[in-house]
Amino acid sequence: MKFSAHPLWLVGFRPFFLLACLSGLSFPILWALMFTGVLPAPAGRFLPVQWHAHEMFFGFGWAVIGGFLLTSTKNWVQVRGYHGAALIGLVAAWVLERVGMAFGGAWPGWLFWLSNLVFLGSIVVMLLWTLLRYRKQDSFRDNYFFLFVLPAFLAAKLLILDAGHFQAGWTMAIGLFRMAFLVMLERTLTQFMKGVFQAELLRDPRLDAAIKLSALTLVFQAWLPSWLAGALLLVCAVLLLVRFAGWKPGLAMTRIDLAVMYLGYLAIVGQLLLELAGIVWAPVWVGSVSVHLFSFGVMGLIIPPMLVRISKGHTGRKVVFDAGDKLLIWIMLAALVVRIVLPQFMPEVYGRWVHIAAGGWFLCFTILGARLLPRLLAPRVDGKEH
């Protein structure tokens, strides 16, 4: 068998979900060790916190979103997705970016920036090409949002790596990931609830559009007047809560695999309200609570069960959460409490909470990676090609 014909290269989620597990188990624990002085930070062009933010958003986060979008966009427009050599090239570019971020401080500027931009630049162009070329057969009319969101990730990346614009960069990155998660939840939770409970969720096109428009505007929160940013944060949070009430949360909470997705949805609301609080009266928290509510409460709670669902469903398996899958959810829920809640009560051991929370990510994604590996390296069990 040719290397490019291996099952790993049949569809985007296969290699990128494995890379997501690798980065999810390593980046948080590496940062915890750097934060407490056990390990030195990568020497070079940026501060340690810039490395941390960049690698969580554009290393881990884009391994997830890249795998998801490479898989979903082909289904949205009913075409064969990128595979084989194209997929191998994207994975090589992702790896090159990680090498550059870790060791590229002494590289010539052109080489560092080439290593840093080739992956995201390539995958954004490829995804946009798919959506634009086959737009007439697109199943979702609102995919035009991605025409704005995907290129904006490149701007957020560059801002994060610029010390003078770092805060604007991570605010923009959170806004873009928020947008991506809202679109994903809007489309998948409707299907999940109908499939499990035969329940129809509230879907008002005007409400859905208002949520996405307010979220899209908040991508540029760092440049908005504080009064306008505060108003948009409140509007988006209220609209999300209105829709949440119509999404039968009581029913969803009876199943841990669905409940965790709803909790991730509420974490988006909570992060919006924390940002609003920071504008209105600036409460004092221990740690960057707003940022870490998004990373632990949204990314940490939603991504593991999403990887489980996609890796089972798209390899021909029945999507049923067994004890091991549920364990992943409980580990991440515990990590969320340790990282966000406990430091507010015992700030004197803040470094210990950072280590324990990072250890939760290490444990979760190590277990998840070990469980996904044989599934993603093998052909589909139902005999279909991809």
Side-chain angles (χ1 to χ4, degrees), residues 76-278:
W76 295 341
V77 297
Q78 298 92 48
V79 298
R80 178 74 168 95
Y82 296 107
H83 60 286
L87 203 50
I88 293 170
L90 285 176
V91 168
W94 184 94
V95 172
L96 176 63
E97 183 175 295
R98 308 284 71 74
V99 174
M101 286 297 298
F103 307 107
W107 292 1
W110 68 267
L111 180 58
F112 171 79
W113 289 111
L114 176 65
S115 73
N116 198 264
L117 295 171
V118 65
F119 165 67
L120 188 59
S122 298
I123 195 171
V124 164
V125 168
M126 291 163 75
L127 291 169
L128 290 177
W129 174 248
T130 298
L131 292 173
L132 288 170
R133 183 181 182 186
Y134 302 102
R135 63 188 181 279
K136 291 183 179 179
Q137 58 204 58
D138 198 330
S139 305
F140 293 95
R141 294 181 179 179
D142 59 356
N143 273 337
Y144 60 84
F145 279 104
F146 286 107
L147 304 183
F148 300 97
V149 169
L150 291 174
F153 273 106
L154 286 162
K157 167 193 262 284
L158 293 173
L159 289 170
I160 281 179
L161 292 178
D162 182 340
H165 298 92
F166 171 63
Q167 183 172 353
W170 63 251
T171 301
M172 188 175 185
I174 286 179
L176 291 167
F177 274 98
R178 181 194 296 131
M179 188 76 191
F181 277 108
L182 287 175
V183 171
M184 186 271 291
L185 289 170
E186 179 182 289
R187 296 178 183 181
T188 58
L189 285 182
T190 306
Q191 299 172 358
F192 297 162
M193 290 294 284
K194 187 173 184 178
V196 174
F197 297 112
Q198 291 73 55
E200 295 289 342
L201 302 190
L202 170 67
R203 290 302 305 274
D204 185 319
R206 295 166 300 177
L207 177 59
D208 292 343
I211 288 171
K212 288 193 283 283
L213 283 171
S214 60
L216 182 61
T217 308
L218 283 169
V219 168
F220 307 100
Q221 177 186 335
W223 296 276
L224 298 175
S226 59
W227 66 268
L228 180 56
L232 284 168
L233 289 163
L234 180 60
V235 166
C236 191
V238 170
L239 292 175
L240 284 169
L241 287 174
V242 169
R243 189 170 68 178
F244 183 83
W247 276 12
K248 301 181 175 17
L251 192 59
M253 292 298 172
T254 62
R255 293 261 309 236
I256 184 63
D257 56 314
L258 291 172
V260 71
M261 306 293 280
Y262 276 64
L263 292 175
Y265 182 109
L266 287 178
I268 295 176
V269 177
Q271 194 268 337
L272 290 167
L273 294 176
L274 280 173
E275 286 290 304
L276 174 61

Side-chain angles (χ1 to χ4, degrees), residues 325-357:
D325 300 324
K326 294 175 183 178
L327 175 63
L328 303 173
I329 295 171
W330 288 113
I331 291 171
M332 295 307 282
L333 283 169
L336 170 64
V337 173
V338 169
R339 187 63 183 83
I340 302 296
V341 179
L342 295 186
Q344 312 310 317
F345 296 97
M346 289 175 277
E348 66 276 7
V349 288
Y350 181 69
R352 182 182 302 170
W353 302 133
V354 172
H355 274 273
I356 295 173

